[in-house]
Amino acid sequence: MTLFLFLLIIGYVVAFFYTLNASIKNSRRLLLVETELTKLKAQIAAGGVAALPAQDAIAAEEQPPVDAAFQADSAQEVSEEDQAIAARAAADEPVADDASETFTLPATPARPKESFESRLGARWAVWAGGLALALGGIFLVKYSIESGLLSPAVRLSMAAIFGLLLAAAGEAIRRKVVPGIASAYSNAMIPGVLTAAGALTLFGVTYAAYGIYDYIGPTTAFVILALVGFATIALSLLHGQALAGLGLLGSMVTPALISTESPNIWALFGFLTVSWLATAGAARRQRWHVVPALANAGLGLWAIGYMVFAPIIEAEPVVASLMAMIAGSIWIWPGKYPGQPRDMAIYTPRSDSYFPVVAELLGRPPASLGVTLSLAVVLPALAFSVIETAITMHPAFAMAVLIIGLAALGAGRNYAIWPAIFASLAALGCANLLAGFGINYLPVLGDATTALSTADAVAVQGPVTRILGILFLLFSWQAVRSKTSNDPSFGTLWAVIGSVVPLGLGIISFVQYGNLTRDWLHAAYGLSVGLVLLGNAYWLDRKRDDAFVMPVNTMVLGSFLAFTFVVHTLTEGLATTILIPVIGFAYVLATRQRSWAALPWVMALASLFVLGRIAWEPTIVGPQNLGTTPVFNALLPGYGIPALLAIVSAWLLRDWPGVRAKNFLQAIASLMGLLAIAILVRHAMNGGVLNDSVPTLGEQSIYTLLTIGMSGVLMTLDLKSPSPIFRYGSMLAGVIAMFNVLVAHFFALNPYFTGEGTGPWPFLNLLLIGYLLPALAYGGLAWYARGKRPVAYVTLLALSGAALGFAWATLSVRRFWQGENIADWKGFLQGETYSYSVVWLVIGVLLLVLGSRFNAKSLRLASAALVLLAVAKAFLIDMSNLEGVLRALSFIGLGAVLIGIGLFYQKILTAQPKPEEAQG
C-alpha cells in the first residue's frame, strides 16, 4: 500500500512538470510573436502612420477605467493640445498636425477563442493537479492513522511540512515561470494552485491539532488559523484572486471552528474586521471585485448570526465592525475607484517621436460590491429595529449609526448608487419598524436587564428619527452640490433622496410620536426641510449649469411637499383643504420670477391632494359639522376656493412653454370647477345631506345641464386658446352628458317607470327640467359645434336633443291625459293614444322645416324617424285600439301629412339640381 501511494505521488509530480514544460514552450512561441509585432510597430512608425499595436490594445482593454478624480489629476499633466489629440484618437477620428497630415488608429483585433486543447492541457490539468496534491496529503495522513505507523504528533508535523513545501514550491515556480503564461492563463497558474493546496493542508492540520487531538488550545489554534488565512491573503497578491478567496474563507470560518465558553465579542469582530481590511487592501492593489464582495457578505452574515443566537447582544462591537467596513469602502476599496490609465503611443511628424496620452475613461465598480455592502449593513440595521432581546445599546442608536454610515458612503462616492438607495429605504423602513418593535427590547443595566418603558422609548426614538432625516438632507445637499456637474444622474438621485427621505422620516415621527391635533415641533421640522430645499434650489439655479436642472426641479417639488406636511401638522379639515392649494398658487406666482419647470406642477400636485382629501371625506368637515343651508356652507369654500385657484392658475399659465404641465393644469381646473358646482347642487337637492342615495330626475337633469355647459365652455376656451385638453375635454363632456340621457333620463329616472310625481303646474314641472331644457341645451350645443367639431359628434348632439324633445312632448301628452302621476300601471286612453300620433307628426314636420331652414341633415333625419314611428304606430296600434271617428281621423291625418312631406321634398329636390346638403 505504501509503494502504491509513493507511485501515485510520483505520477502526480511527473504530470505536473510535463504540464509546466508545455506551458513554457507555449510562452516561448508567444514571445516570438511579440518580437515580430514590435518590429512591425517600428516599421509603421518609420512610415509616418500612427498605430496601436494589437497587444497594446488588448492590454488597454484589460485595464479598468478611471474615475473623475483621477481624470482631473491626469488632465493637469497633459497639455491642451495633447488632450485634443487623445480625444480624437479615443473617438477613432483622424488626428492631424500643422501640416494637415492625417493619422488613423487601426481597429483592435478580437481575441482568438481558446482551443479545447489549451483548456484541457493548460487549465484543467492544473486545477485537477492542485486538488490531487491536497487530497494526496490528506490521504497520506489518513493512511498513516489507519496503519498506526506514526504517532499523531509526527503525522501532524509531516502534514504541516508538506503544506509548507507546497507553498514554497509554488513560490519557486512563480519566480521562474515565463511571463507569457501569466497573461494567457491568469486563473490557472500553477504557483497559485500549489500555494492553495498548501494553505488547505495547513488549515486542516491546525484544526486537527485543536479539534481532534487537543494538542493546542483554542487561543493558539485561533492565532495559527488567523496567521494562515492572512498569509494566504498576502500570497494572493502574487498568485491571484482565487487564492485571496481561499484566505478569506479561512479567516471567516476560523472563529466558527474555535469554540470557547466565554467568547470575547470584541476580539471576534476585531478579527473579522482585520480580515476584511486585509482583503480590501489586497483587492485595492490587484483591483479585484469578487473577493471583496464575498468579504462584505461574510461580515454581514457574522453580524446577523451573532444577533440572532446571542442571549445578550453586545451591540458596540457589531456596529464598530460594520462601520469599519463602510470606512474601508470609502477610503481603501473601492475608495475613489481610480481607473488605470491607458497609454497610446501616437506618432507625430512635428516631434518625430512618440508621446504618451492618457485615454481617460470614467467607470464604476461592479454593482456586486455596492449591493453586498448595503445588505451587510441594512440587514443588521433591520434586526436592531425589531430586536426583542437584551442589548447593551439602544437599538435606535445602533440602527441610526449604521444607516448614517451607509448614507455617507452613498453621498461621497459617485459609484455608490446602491448604498444610497439601500440607505434611504432602510431609513424609512427601520424608523417605521422601530416605532412598533423598539419598545420591546431589554436594555442591559450592569448585570441586570429591565424592560424599557414606552415613554423612555419615545423620548429616544422620536429625536433619533428626526436627526436621521436632517442628516439625509445634509448628505443630499453635499452630494448634489459637489457631484452633479460630473454626474447629473447621481445628483438627481440624491435630490430625490433629500426630498423624500427627510419628509418621510418626519411623517413617521409625527404619526408615531407627535400630537396629531397641533404639533409645533414637527411643524418646525417640516418648515426647516422645506426652506432648505427651496434655498438649495435657488442657490443651484444661480450656477446656470444645465446639469442642475433636474435636481433643482426635484427640490422645488420636495419643498412643496414639506410645506404641505407643515399644514397637516398645524391644521385639519377645511383649513387644510384650503391652505394646500394656496401654497400651490404661491408657486404659480413664482413663475413671474423663475422659469423652473416644476412650478406649474406644484399647483397640479396641490389640486390632486385636494381631490384626494375630497375622496377621503367629501363633506370636508365631517357630516356632523356640515350645515344644511344650500350653497352657503363649508362645501362652498372647501370646493370653491381650490377650484377657483386652479382656474386662475391655468389662466396665468396660458402662455407657459411647458405644454404638458399647462394642459394638465387646465384639465384639473376644469374638473374641479365642475365638481364644485355639482357638489353644491347635490347638497341642495338632497336636503342638506351628502350620501350615496340615488338622485332624483331633477337633480340628475341639473348634472346633465352642467355637463353640457362645461362642454360649451371648454369649446369656447379651445377656440380662444387652442389646447388638446379643451378640445377633447369638451367632446368628453358631451359624451358623458349623452350617456346620462340614455341611462338616466330615458330609463332609470323616467317618471313613467319610477312613478315619481311631475308637479302640479301644467308647464313648469319636472318634465320641463328633466327633458325640455336638456333638449334645448343639446340643440344649442350642436348648433354651436357645427364646423368646430367632427360631423359625427355634432350629429349625435343634435339627435340627443331631438330625442329629449320627443320624450318631453310624449310625456307631456300623457300628463295631460293622466295627471301628475304618469306611471305605466295606469294604462292608455283612446284620446291619449290618438294625441301621440298628432304630436309626433307635428314634431316631425317642425323638425323637417328647421332642417330645411338651417340646412341641417341631422334634423331632417330626426324628422324622418318620427314620421316612420308615427306610421308604425298607426298601423300597429291605432288600427286595433282606436274606434270610430278617431281611427279614421288618425289615418286621414297621417295620409295628409305624408303627402305634404312628399310634396315638400319634391320641391326641394327640384330647386336643387345638384344637391349638396350641408353637414350639420
Side-chain angles (χ1 to χ4, degrees):
M1 188 67 180
T2 306
L3 178 60
F4 174 77
L5 182 60
F6 176 77
L7 292 177
L8 182 62
I9 296 174
I10 293 297
Y12 283 142
V13 173
V14 171
F16 163 73
F17 282 105
Y18 175 80
T19 305
L20 177 62
N21 182 55
S23 300
I24 293 175
K25 289 182 178 179
N26 289 333
S27 66
R28 290 175 179 173
R29 295 190 185 98
L30 290 175
L31 184 61
L32 291 176
V33 173
E34 291 177 359
T35 303
E36 293 295 328
L37 287 175
T38 302
K39 293 180 180 179
L40 180 60
K41 179 179 179 180
Q43 294 175 1
I44 292 175
V49 179
L52 181 64
Q55 290 195 0
D56 289 350
I58 295 174
E61 287 181 348
E62 295 176 347
Q63 297 296 342
V66 299
D67 72 345
F70 188 86
Q71 185 179 18
D73 295 339
S74 301
Q76 295 177 359
E77 300 176 1
V78 184
S79 65
E80 294 181 358
E81 184 179 5
D82 295 343
Q83 288 181 7
I85 297 175
R88 296 175 185 173
D92 211 10
E93 296 178 1
V95 181
D97 64 346
D98 296 338
S100 299
E101 298 187 34
T102 302
F103 306 96
T104 59
L105 294 173
T108 303
R111 184 187 297 274
K113 185 178 180 181
E114 185 178 9
S115 65
F116 175 76
E117 179 184 6
S118 175
R119 290 197 298 268
L120 180 64
R123 296 186 186 274
W124 296 348
V126 175
W127 297 332
L131 179 61
L133 285 175
L135 292 176
I138 295 173
F139 291 154
L140 184 60
V141 174
K142 183 176 182 294
Y143 170 74
S144 64
I145 294 173
E146 294 173 349
S147 302
L149 298 178
L150 302 171
S151 65
V154 174
R155 290 196 297 266
L156 292 174
S157 300
M158 292 181 63
I161 293 173
F162 180 70
L164 294 174
L165 288 176
L166 287 176
E171 175 61 17
I173 295 175
R174 184 192 67 82
R175 296 186 178 185
K176 296 182 179 181
V177 74
V178 177
I181 297 179
S183 60
Y185 305 104
S186 58
N187 63 343
M189 287 297 296
I190 294 172
V193 173
L194 291 176
T195 306
L200 285 174
T201 304
L202 293 176
F203 275 123
V205 168
T206 305
Y207 182 71
Y210 162 73
I212 299 177
Y213 298 109
D214 290 330
Y215 282 141
I216 57 177
T219 303
T220 305
F222 182 86
V223 172
I224 295 176
L225 288 175
L227 291 176
V228 173
F230 290 148
T232 306
I233 294 176
L235 290 173
S236 68
L237 297 174
L238 302 174
H239 299 292
Q241 186 170 199
L243 189 60
L246 179 62
L248 173 66
L249 177 63
S251 300
M252 291 293 174
V253 172
T254 293
L257 298 177
I258 307 302
S259 61
T260 177
E261 296 181 356
S262 57
N264 188 329
I265 305 303
W266 276 105
L268 168 64
F269 280 96
F271 168 76
L272 294 173
T273 302
V274 172
S275 300
W276 188 94
L277 292 173
T279 305
R284 175 189 174 95
R285 182 178 179 85
Q286 302 299 102
R287 305 190 65 76
W288 291 331
H289 300 119
V290 177
V291 172
L294 295 176
N296 296 337
L299 189 54
L301 290 175
W302 265 107
I304 291 294
Y306 168 69
M307 295 175 65
V308 169
F309 295 105
I312 298 178
I313 299 176
E314 294 185 39
E316 293 82 357
V318 177
V319 173
S321 180
L322 294 176
M323 289 299 294
M325 178 178 64
I326 295 174
S329 300
I330 295 175
W331 288 296
I332 299 178
W333 183 250
K336 291 186 177 182
Y337 200 73
Q340 296 291 341
R342 180 176 69 183
D343 293 334
M344 293 189 299
I346 299 179
Y347 175 79
T348 58
R350 180 179 62 244
S351 60
D352 196 23
S353 63
Y354 290 91
F355 64 90
V357 176
V358 179
E360 299 162 345
L361 302 174
L362 292 177
R364 301 180 186 273
S368 58
L369 287 177
V371 171
T372 53
L373 174 69
S374 301
L375 291 176
V377 175
V378 167
L379 294 180
L382 288 172
F384 279 124
S385 301
V386 298
I387 202 70
E388 295 185 5
T389 188
I391 188 172
T392 60
M393 183 181 187
H394 196 294
F397 293 144
M399 175 271 295
V401 169
L402 292 179
I403 293 178
I404 289 171
L406 188 63
L409 168 62
R413 297 289 181 256
N414 288 68
Y415 60 80
I417 294 176
W418 287 110
I421 295 175
F422 273 99
S424 305
L425 297 177
L428 297 174
C430 291
N432 196 32
L433 290 173
L434 191 66
F437 293 92
I439 61 174
N440 297 324
Y441 85 99
L442 301 174
V444 177
L445 303 175
D447 296 330
T449 60
T450 180
L452 189 70
S453 66
T454 303
D456 293 337
V458 169
V460 173
Q461 292 164 198
V464 167
T465 303
R466 293 188 293 272
I467 292 173
L468 195 60
I470 293 174
L471 290 176
F472 265 92
L473 186 63
L474 297 178
F475 287 150
S476 171
W477 165 241
Q478 173 62 23
V480 173
R481 183 185 64 84
S482 60
K483 305 292 184 181
T484 303
S485 296
N486 295 327
D487 193 345
S489 61
F490 184 81
T492 302
L493 172 65
W494 266 102
V496 173
I497 292 174
S499 301
V500 173
V501 176
L503 179 60
L505 292 173
I507 293 174
I508 293 173
S509 176
F510 173 64
V511 173
Q512 298 291 351
Y513 315 113
N515 183 358
L516 298 182
T517 302
R518 182 168 297 170
D519 195 321
W520 292 101
L521 176 61
H522 286 89
Y525 172 87
L527 184 62
S528 300
V529 172
L531 291 176
V532 169
L533 289 173
L534 198 58
N536 291 347
Y538 178 79
W539 187 85
L540 293 174
D541 184 62
R542 296 175 60 186
K543 289 180 172 292
R544 304 299 180 186
D545 189 346
D546 292 340
F548 290 99
V549 172
M550 283 299 295
V552 164
N553 287 289
T554 302
M555 289 181 175
V556 169
L557 290 174
S559 66
F560 165 73
L561 295 176
F563 295 145
T564 302
F565 169 68
V566 173
V567 170
H568 281 87
T569 60
L570 298 178
T571 63
E572 59 183 351
L574 181 61
T576 305
T577 305
I578 294 176
L579 286 176
I580 290 176
V582 168
I583 296 175
F585 186 71
Y587 280 78
V588 172
L589 296 179
T591 57
R592 305 303 182 190
Q593 302 296 327
R594 287 288 180 271
S595 59
W596 298 335
L599 293 176
W601 288 106
V602 169
M603 187 61 202
L605 188 59
S607 301
L608 290 177
F609 283 172
V610 170
L611 292 177
R613 290 184 59 84
I614 289 174
W616 178 262
E617 180 51 75
T619 63
I620 305 296
V621 294
Q624 69 280 3
N625 299 321
L626 181 62
T628 59
T629 303
V631 181
F632 298 101
N633 51 67
L635 299 178
L636 181 61
Y639 284 77
I641 293 178
L644 180 61
L645 291 175
I647 293 172
V648 174
S649 298
W651 182 80
L652 291 175
L653 297 173
R654 62 192 182 280
D655 297 326
W656 184 258
V659 177
R660 293 182 179 178
K662 179 173 62 177
N663 290 341
F664 186 84
L665 193 55
Q666 291 171 350
I668 203 167
S670 303
L671 176 62
M672 294 182 69
L674 180 61
L675 181 62
I677 299 175
I679 202 69
L680 291 174
V681 170
R682 174 68 172 171
H683 177 267
M685 297 290 293
N686 205 39
V689 178
L690 289 181
N691 53 35
D692 57 352
S693 61
V694 177
T696 63
L697 177 61
E699 181 181 348
Q700 183 61 48
S701 300
I702 295 176
Y703 298 149
T704 302
L705 291 172
L706 286 175
T707 312
I708 296 173
M710 176 62 67
S711 178
V713 171
L714 292 178
M715 193 185 309
T716 302
L717 293 175
D718 182 50
L719 295 176
K720 293 183 177 181
S721 178
S723 167
I725 296 298
F726 294 151
R727 185 177 312 114
Y728 298 110
S730 64
M731 290 190 289
L732 179 61
V735 170
I736 293 175
M738 286 185 274
F739 180 79
N740 288 337
V741 168
L742 179 64
V743 175
H745 293 253
F746 282 104
F747 298 103
L749 302 178
N750 192 332
Y752 176 76
F753 298 113
T754 63
E756 180 182 2
T758 58
W761 296 87
F763 179 74
L764 302 175
N765 50 49
L766 180 63
L767 300 180
L768 173 68
I769 189 175
Y771 295 93
L772 183 58
L773 292 183
L776 296 176
Y778 267 117
L781 183 63
W783 177 81
Y784 184 53
R786 293 182 65 193
K788 306 179 184 67
R789 292 293 180 263
V791 175
Y793 174 72
V794 175
T795 301
L796 287 176
L797 290 177
L799 291 177
S800 298
L804 282 170
F806 167 77
W808 173 79
T810 303
L811 294 177
S812 295
V813 169
R814 182 167 180 80
R815 186 184 182 283
F816 175 80
W817 290 96
Q818 300 288 350
E820 295 181 25
N821 193 320
I822 59 174
D824 58 342
W825 57 267
K826 288 188 172 184
F828 295 90
L829 303 174
Q830 284 198 8
E832 177 186 352
T833 304
Y834 176 75
S835 300
Y836 291 140
S837 299
V838 175
V839 171
W840 292 355
L841 288 175
V842 171
I843 295 176
V845 171
L846 289 177
L847 289 177
L848 180 61
V849 173
L850 292 175
S852 175
R853 172 67 178 80
F854 295 104
N855 197 19
K857 184 178 180 181
S858 57
L859 294 180
R860 295 198 298 271
L861 291 176
S863 170
L866 284 177
V867 171
L868 290 176
L869 183 62
V871 172
K873 175 181 176 296
F875 284 95
L876 297 178
I877 298 176
D878 293 354
M879 188 177 293
S880 59
N881 292 338
L882 296 181
E883 298 177 357
V885 68
L886 291 179
R887 179 187 296 177
L889 291 177
S890 176
F891 280 89
I892 292 173
L894 176 63
V897 171
L898 291 177
I899 292 174
I901 291 175
L903 179 61
F904 180 81
Y905 269 103
Q906 289 177 3
K907 290 183 177 181
I908 292 295
L909 295 177
T910 303
Q912 298 178 0
K914 293 182 179 180
E916 294 180 1
E917 298 176 339
Q919 300 297 322

